[in-house]
Structures are given as structure tokens and as C-alpha cells.
Amino acid sequence: MNQSTSPGISRRNFLQLLLATGAGALGVGVLRSLLSPDALHPNARSIIKNIIIFIQENHSFDSLFAGFPGANGKYAGQNCPDALQRDPPHLHSDAFQPDGATSNEARCSYTEADAPNYWKVARRFTLCDNFYGDVRGPSFPNYLMMISGQTPLLGPGSPAHVCPNFCLDIEVLPNRLEARELTWRDYGGIFTSIRNLFGHPEIKDFEDAQFFEDATRGTLPNVSWLNSGYLREAYAKSGHPPSSLCVGENYAVSVLNAVMNGPQWQNTALFLVWDEWGGFYDHVEPPVVERWENGSPYRYGHRAPCIVISPYARPGYVSHTLYSHVSLLRFAETIFDLEPLTERDEKAHTMLDCFDFDQAPLPPITLLPRDCP
């Protein structure tokens, strides 16, 4: 349920009640923990053992969830076709168009009927409507922000961006995990350009078969990344325009069903995120928290959808807290008590307001693939 429309006692009324009853320092401390989106529940670290970051491609929040109840969405004025005729421009230089849309065709929104499984998951678990790409640019720099809290590049990635031909000397979350003897795995190849991980057996380049095997056997690591944009048939699996949204959603159904029906479900937090807005319409102007030396906006990029899927995700909840890709880093660092990689993830909100660790664990739901146009 959306916090802003939930019945019962409001935050303001709760504060007035505490003051009226003289609840004292203890009551104020409880209230502070309730008001903070970053409050760490004492059971969180004992419950969450597996974090999965599942990345789909190139859609804005308004393109997928404009009409979602309780969310800050706005219909673009026309329905999106299942498959656009062209991939909307979405380089850094394209990211400054009013309302995000870089083509007339991309000034559109899908309906619930167009993306029923994405909406079903969002209704059952938690949807974030204030989640941003970290940079106004294409996929590759946003991937880097997601794994390291920094990006030395603003251009698009390519198959050539792989060590030893192309290497980046930056620290990434797996370095922190390995120092604490925690496990990780890259299903697809998001870490292939990181020099200190070159040749690491945990990087499964262009291949997701190991993910489904591990999910079925219950051998998923502490933190895993499945980036559909790096897989074989990447456009189809990720829903990247001009490929079919339906085909990409069906791939997501297979991933989510594997996790929810696997033996590690009870201890899992899965974040289904889209890497960047992809040139689609979005009515929210991104906040500017960092600028380039020339004064042009650097962070944030346009909004992208994020769905938090877990037995402890708040059911039917829409989080309005400001998040970005580095918030995923912050969540993992918080759960596993790791030092931040950069000042960006250190200051980011933790994603914890999307969880209720006191609730009865949510059971899996059944997602059915559909016939695509």
C-alpha cells in the first residue's frame, strides 16, 4: 500500500500522540527509526543472505508505469507499440530533451495490459517511483555506477570493452565482498572490463545458463548480477528497443520464477531494475546533484523503473524515496557491513524502506509467459 494513502495513524499524528502522552526519549527514538528510510532492522542481516540485481534495458518509469496506482506517473499521450520501429536515441547528448523523449514514437506509455507481468510483480511487492539512472547517458556508464559508484566514461559500451584489450582500474563491490569471504557471481558479463577481475571464474560472459542452474539448486552466491543486456540475444531478452517488450518480459518471467521457486527464496532480496531511460518520455526532471566542470548536469539521469522482490518486500507499496543505481551498492554494503566504495554510495539511501522484516514472509507468485504479438 502506498505510504501516502495508507489508512490508520499518520506520521504527524503519531508524533502528536507521543508528545501528548509524554513518551520521552524512547518514543522519540522509535519515531526517528520509523521516519528514516535508512533505518536498519535488527533482523535484516540475519534474514537477507542473497542479493540479486537483475537488469533489464532502456525504459523510463512513465513508459512502463505511468498509470500505476499511487505512483508518480504521467501518461505520455499515446500508447507504445509492443516493438518500436526504431531505437530512440539515448546517448549522453540526447538526455537533455524536455520530458526525456528523443523521438515522437518514444513519447508514449505502455498500459498494464501491455506489461501484465511487470505490473503483477509491482502490485505484489514494492515499486520505486523515484529511482534514477546515475548519469544522463547510455547503458555502460550506468552499469559502472551500479558496480563501483563511479564511471570514467560517458560513452556507450561495446563488445570491445573487455579485458585485456580494454581495462578499467577501479574498485568494485566484488573486491569488498571477497575481502570479507563473501561470494558473488556475474551472470552475463557486467564486470568484463574490470582489470583486477580479469580472468575471474565468477564472471560468466554472455551466458545465463549457470544462473538458472544455481537458482534451481540453491547455490546462488551472496550477491549476483544478471545483466540481460550482455547475454546472447540481448535485445530480445532485455526488452531493449526496437525489440518486443513482451519477449523481454517473458524472459523476466523465467528469471523471477526461477528465483521465487528456488530453495533460497526465503533469504533473497531481488532488485529488478532498468539501466537507463532509453530515450522514452518521463515527466519528472531529474534532480541535479553533480555537474560537470562546464556546468552541465552529470547526476542524475532520467527515472528508470525499479521493483523490489522479496518475501520481506512491502506488499503493494510504492516507495517515493530518492534512489539511484548506487543505492543498490549501499543496500549490499549495509546488509553485509561493508565499507562504501565512494562518497556517492556512502551518501545514498539504502533501499531499506522497501522492506518490512516484521511481516509474515510473502509466498512466491506464479508468473505465466504470454503469447507475444
Side-chain angles (χ1 to χ4, degrees):
M1 181 173 291
N2 188 329
Q3 200 171 45
S4 64
T5 59
S6 60
I9 190 167
S10 69
R11 292 180 175 187
R12 178 176 294 179
N13 290 339
F14 183 49
L15 175 57
Q16 292 172 342
L17 179 62
L18 285 177
L19 295 176
T21 57
L26 178 60
V28 172
V30 171
L31 175 64
R32 185 175 294 116
S33 69
L34 290 174
L35 293 177
S36 171
D38 302 315
L40 179 63
H41 190 282
N43 295 334
R45 286 174 172 160
S46 63
I47 290 174
I48 300 300
K49 302 297 184 184
N50 305 97
I51 297 172
I52 302 169
I53 300 170
F54 173 35
I55 307 161
Q56 292 288 77
E57 293 276 313
N58 291 45
H59 284 87
S60 69
F61 186 87
D62 278 344
S63 74
L64 284 184
F65 293 105
F68 195 88
N72 180 18
K74 185 177 179 181
Y75 180 63
Q78 64 178 348
N79 281 8
C80 292
D82 178 65
L84 272 63
Q85 293 182 8
R86 297 178 182 84
D87 185 14
H90 52 276
L91 297 177
H92 177 74
S93 58
D94 303 311
F96 302 96
Q97 297 293 329
D99 293 330
T102 60
S103 71
N104 289 332
E105 189 184 27
R107 188 173 292 275
C108 66
S109 298
Y110 294 94
T111 66
E112 182 173 6
D114 300 321
N117 282 307
Y118 287 143
W119 277 59
K120 182 175 182 178
V121 173
R123 287 181 183 277
R124 176 58 169 169
F125 300 103
T126 293
L127 177 67
C128 302
D129 71 353
N130 202 23
F131 187 101
Y132 297 84
D134 265 288
V135 298
R136 297 202 185 199
S139 299
F140 192 57
N142 278 296
Y143 296 155
L144 294 175
M145 280 288 194
M146 197 181 297
I147 64 177
S148 70
Q150 60 178 299
T151 176
L153 303 172
L154 275 185
S158 74
H161 284 179
V162 176
C163 270
N165 297 321
F166 177 88
C167 302
L168 295 172
D169 290 312
I170 57 176
E171 192 170 19
V172 291
L173 187 60
N175 301 137
R176 292 278 195 270
L177 294 167
E178 289 184 348
R180 294 287 300 275
E181 298 184 346
L182 296 165
T183 57
W184 66 277
R185 185 160 291 162
D186 170 14
Y187 301 95
I190 196 172
F191 291 96
T192 52
S193 62
I194 306 304
R195 185 184 297 277
N196 66 58
L197 297 180
F198 174 60
H200 201 295
E202 298 304 329
I203 299 175
K204 309 298 180 184
D205 195 14
F206 299 114
E207 183 56 64
D208 59 354
Q210 187 71 50
F211 175 84
F212 291 101
E213 182 178 327
D214 289 348
T216 300
R217 292 182 176 180
T219 54
L220 291 168
N222 295 120
V223 183
S224 55
W225 290 264
L226 176 57
N227 184 359
S228 57
Y230 275 122
L231 300 175
R232 294 183 177 88
E233 302 178 357
Y235 270 33
K237 290 182 177 179
S238 68
H240 189 306
S243 293
S244 161
L245 178 75
C246 175
V247 172
E249 186 189 50
N250 279 350
Y251 178 71
V253 164
S254 67
V255 171
L256 299 182
N257 281 342
V259 172
M260 289 190 290
N261 293 316
Q264 292 168 288
W265 167 245
Q266 292 298 322
N267 301 106
T268 292
L270 185 151
F271 298 91
L272 169 55
V273 299
W274 279 256
D275 62 333
E276 39 99 348
W277 97 115
F280 278 97
Y281 170 89
D282 196 86
H283 80 282
V284 175
E285 181 66 18
V288 179
V289 297
E290 289 186 51
R291 293 183 180 272
W292 290 106
E293 292 181 358
N294 64 7
S296 65
Y298 174 40
R299 296 177 70 221
Y300 292 108
H302 292 282
R303 289 192 305 170
C306 172
I307 308 174
V308 182
I309 302 164
S310 171
Y312 296 93
R314 295 189 180 191
Y317 177 70
V318 177
S319 172
H320 306 307
T321 303
L322 191 153
Y323 293 126
S324 73
H325 293 319
V326 297
S327 298
L328 306 176
L329 281 176
R330 193 74 192 114
F331 179 80
E333 291 161 356
T334 300
I335 291 297
F336 294 118
D337 195 20
L338 307 174
E339 289 295 318
L341 289 160
T342 70
E343 187 177 3
R344 295 185 183 99
D345 49 302
E346 181 181 19
K347 292 183 176 180
H349 289 305
T350 60
M351 308 291 305
L352 284 167
D353 87 302
C354 301
F355 296 85
D356 181 355
F357 293 103
D358 290 319
Q359 72 186 19
L362 301 175
I365 59 175
T366 299
L367 300 174
L368 299 176
R370 56 198 178 97
D371 295 330
C372 295

